[in-house]
């Protein structure tokens, strides 16, 4: 699939990092957004007059075969470890594959719409023996909208799971909480137990939870930045909440030792395997916006 000329969109510019990675920068009247073709990883989203909603590790490693620590890595075609082969990359291969920019335009209301694509290749076939078309719609305005559509181009059913592994930037983890209308149950991956949650979640230690039956809308109360970020999702059976806390942060080379204080992952996912029939498709979406009225 041919990449487009960036001349089609005045608000879009391209940069090349020292490691040779292509970074797209969208700067329109409503927001500034940065993303890498490496993994189609959105790394920054700054509505005009606001601070970045996304956290990118200052120690992030830009290397082939590795996902970027921060922003919005794409976990696909599986979430977490591969179901039966731990030699395969955690969270699948989408987050470290080279995506193509297939379209870019800014609409009359000042919103810039990008479409990035990824299809099977020799590299992907080495870890996953199926054909696929992934189309990632990124809409940049006062709100960031992400929609990851997967089309099953095989003549057989395929099973997938995935997530938009979003790292939100916060002023201080000790003064941040997640609020949702209804109580949900979650699986605590750190002790394997399923527990009943609460409508308010404060993070006070290592946290790795998969919320099931949760609302499709939640709010991140980032008290130190005096803001509330509303997060909505669709095409998702779960919300994942992760903070590595101090010990695991020190064990991650691409994470500052105190990095856990400034980030919180709130991920839209489908962690139960989803069967997609031939020719059918599935779309996982997440959006984020700052609520000034709460
Ligand atoms: O989304 C939470 C999680 O699955 C955690 O278990 C932790 O592994 C995190 O993702 C980060 O994974 P990564 O492979 O990016 O280090």
């Amino acid at each position: 699939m041919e990449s487009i000329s960036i001349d089609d969109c005045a608000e879009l510019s391209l940069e090349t990092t020292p490691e040779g990675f292509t970074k797209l920068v969208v700067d329109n009247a409503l927001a500034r957004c940065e993303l890498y073709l490496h993994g189609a990883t959105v790394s920054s989203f700054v509505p005009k007059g606001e601070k970045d909603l996304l956290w990118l590790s200052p120690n992030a490693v830009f290397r082939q075969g590795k996902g970027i620590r921060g922003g919005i890595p794409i976990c696909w075609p599986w979430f977490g470890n591969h179901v039966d082969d731990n030699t395969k990359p955690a969270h699948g291969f989408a987050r470290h594959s080279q995506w193509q920019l297939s379209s870019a335009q800014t609409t009359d209301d000042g919103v810039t719409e990008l479409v990035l694509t990824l299809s099977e290749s020799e590299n992907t076939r080495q870890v996953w023996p199926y054909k696929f078309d992934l189309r990632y719609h990124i809409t940049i305005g006062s709100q960031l909208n992400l929609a990851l559509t997967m089309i099953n181009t095989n003549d057989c059913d395929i099973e997938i799971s995935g997530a938009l592994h979003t790292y939100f930037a916060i002023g201080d983890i000790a003064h941040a909480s997640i609020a949702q209308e209804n109580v949900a149950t979650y699986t605590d991956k750190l002790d394997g137990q399923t527990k009943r949650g609460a409508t308010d979640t404060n993070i006070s230690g290592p946290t790795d939870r998969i919320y099931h039956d949760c609302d499709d809308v939640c709010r991140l109360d980032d008290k130190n930045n005096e803001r509330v970020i509303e997060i909505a999702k669709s095409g998702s059976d779960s919300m994942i909440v992760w903070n590595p806390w101090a010990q695991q942060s020190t064990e991650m080379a691409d994470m500052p030792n105190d990095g856990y204080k400034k980030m919180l992952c709130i991920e839209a996912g489908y962690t139960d395997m989803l069967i997609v029939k031939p020719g059918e498709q599935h779309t996982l979406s997440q959006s984020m916006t700052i609520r000034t009225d709460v």
Side-chain angles (χ1 to χ4, degrees), residues 66 68-69 73 75 79-80 90-91 95 165 167 189 208 240-242 248 252 254 265 267:
K66 177 172 175 58
I68 295 169
R69 179 71 59 197
C75 304
F79 174 81
H91 292 319
R95 65 173 174 170
H165 196 294
Y167 289 72
K189 286 176 62 179
D208 197 349
I240 302 102
V241 175
W242 179 63
Q248 191 177 0
M252 296 158 69
D254 57 358
C265 284
E267 309 160 33

Side-chain angles (χ1 to χ4, degrees), residues 58-203:
N59 302 5
V61 171
F62 290 80
R63 187 179 68 221
Q64 298 305 331
K66 177 172 175 58
I68 295 169
R69 179 71 59 197
I72 310 173
I74 297 172
C75 304
W76 195 87
W78 58 83
F79 174 81
N81 293 325
H82 187 272
V83 65
D84 56 22
D85 180 348
N86 60 15
T87 66
K88 297 190 174 181
H91 292 319
F93 51 74
R95 65 173 174 170
H96 59 251
S97 293
Q98 185 69 8
W99 289 62
Q100 298 293 321
L101 175 65
S102 74
S103 72
Q105 62 173 355
T106 297
T107 58
D108 294 344
D109 56 5
V111 172
T112 303
E113 299 170 344
L114 306 180
V115 178
L116 282 77
T117 57
L118 182 71
S119 298
E120 77 276 359
S121 65
E122 191 47 47
N123 288 341
T124 65
R125 277 190 289 269
Q126 285 174 5
V127 288
W128 198 59
Y130 298 103
K131 300 189 292 183
F132 65 90
D133 278 334
L134 277 178
R135 300 181 64 77
Y136 193 30
H137 291 249
I138 303 170
T139 307
I140 299 148
S142 54
Q143 176 168 313
L144 178 66
N145 295 323
L146 307 160
L148 178 70
T149 296
M150 174 272 170
I151 304 158
N152 178 2
T153 50
N154 301 277
D155 55 10
C156 64
D157 291 2
I158 55 171
E159 278 193 292
I160 51 173
S161 59
L164 296 172
H165 196 294
T166 308
Y167 289 72
F168 286 94
I170 52 178
D172 183 341
I173 192 66
H175 304 289
S177 60
I178 303 170
Q180 47 192 350
E181 284 294 314
N182 299 299
V183 175
T185 53
Y186 65 85
T187 299
D188 185 338
K189 286 176 62 179
L190 301 179
D191 74 10
Q193 301 305 315
T194 297
K195 298 179 172 65
R196 191 160 182 73
T199 55
D200 265 355
T201 300
N202 294 288
I203 308 297

